[in-house]
Amino acid sequence: MRVLFTAWAWPPHYYPLVPLAWAMRNAGHEIRVAGPPALADTITHSGQPAVEVGLDADFSEMTRGTMKIDRDAPATPELWRELRKPKGERALKMFASIADTMVDGLVDFARAWEPDLVVHSPTSYAGAIAAAAVGVPNVRVLMAPDIAYRGRHAEPALLADMCARFGVTDVNPLGALTVDPCPPRIQIPSEYPRQLMRYVPYNGPAEMPHWLLEPPTRKRVCITWGTTLAAVNPNLVLAGRMLEAVADLDAEVIVTVAPSHREFLGPVPDNVRVVEGLSLHLLLPTCDLMIHQGGNGTTMTAMASGVPQLIVPQFPDQAFVAERMASAGAADVLLPEDADADTVRARVRDLLENPRWARDTARLRAEAEALPAPTDIVPVLEELARTGRARPTGAPAA
């Protein structure tokens, strides 16, 4: 059968689709991945054929508008408190605007290629509309705990004009089926057909350095700050503050950054290793702790690697994910306005030395690994495409 995957042009929103796309392709199905031009290289580097649709949108600029933040605004306690306030309706309007830049091209391609199924990320509304336009089921693949579910009541009005453009009325942004990579303990209650799937980390093309083959001689701490915050406002990148706080601990500290973000770290102590472009799914299995901002992919990769986390959230979605991980005992949460050097150092020592963190994190990892692999749920999607109904499979018995 033919399966159309789609996401908008921010790689972290495409990455969670990749393992399922591999599984479907390995099962013999024909795959296309459609997205704006800026996503094309990301798609092809993942081993899938790319289809360019629509126009590129400046996600960083749109985020600044949604969050009402100046690119050069200093990072202050007042700013952080303001940023963490819920932005639900404004965020949904932003995602609808992004969908509007690509939906015409996506529908045109779908009508020409005639897929049997459309698979999309949670806020890729163009995917849900394209599926309705060609009369096939759509499947939503979550990235992390489902914060998008909170906006379900506002979505119909936001999408009404686009739906009318293509003469469709039966659009379901939640999908005929939601594929959920979260162990139930960190997911929120919801009411929709759900297929659990093991989270398989994919963080982009990867090359493994030889030094990773050497077992660490001390506790290893990874610090990363993703890509979104630096693109929105470099002053929000707190990786430099974190490494300064922990540099004198008896631990090996590794900071991973995108090459273009190296300048945001500030002075780097001699005993800290900075690596550029190293995929987290290679590094984290060797680590004892990760310090980060709470991005979806970062958090879920650490969960799948069984690594305790210190999360310093700055945006509402980061605070949401941090709270879910903390509820499972797999993360400690520290607000940025409270993250002075002494407090960070004390939290890190506790995370490294108190056995409960490793115990609870290992338990959550085991729950994640017990979920069906992407290859295991291919028959569920095949049945959905064939009959319009899905019979989700559960986790294997312990």
Side-chain angles (χ1 to χ4, degrees), residues 154-177:
E155 289 170 336
L158 291 172
L159 304 180
D161 288 345
M162 280 184 281
C163 292
R165 190 186 311 167
F166 303 104
V168 297
T169 56
D170 189 20
V171 174
N172 184 5
L174 295 177
L177 181 69

Side-chain angles (χ1 to χ4, degrees), residues 196-217:
L196 295 173
M197 182 185 77
R198 185 186 314 159
Y199 185 82
V200 178
Y202 175 78
N203 314 117
E207 182 176 339
M208 184 171 180
H210 286 284
W211 60 264
L212 269 182
L213 297 174
E214 303 171 8
T217 58

Side-chain angles (χ1 to χ4, degrees), residues 294-309:
N296 288 328
T298 305
T299 302
M300 294 292 286
T301 301
M303 180 209 69
S305 302
V307 180
Q309 306 175 50

Side-chain angles (χ1 to χ4, degrees), residues 211-212 214-222 246-254 269-273 283-289 352-353:
W211 60 264
L212 269 182
E214 303 171 8
T217 58
R218 297 179 293 165
K219 296 282 189 178
R220 178 173 283 173
V221 177
C222 171
V246 303
D248 62 347
L249 294 179
D250 183 21
E252 179 187 4
V253 180
I254 298 176
D270 293 338
N271 62 332
V272 172
R273 185 196 295 263
L283 173 61
L284 286 182
T286 73
C287 294
D288 301 281
L289 172 65
L352 290 175
E353 297 171 6

Side-chain angles (χ1 to χ4, degrees), residues 15 41-42 44-47 202-208 277-282:
Y15 290 160
D41 284 347
T42 299
T44 56
H45 287 161
S46 74
Y202 175 78
N203 314 117
E207 182 176 339
M208 184 171 180
L278 176 59
S279 290
L280 289 175
H281 69 270
L282 297 180

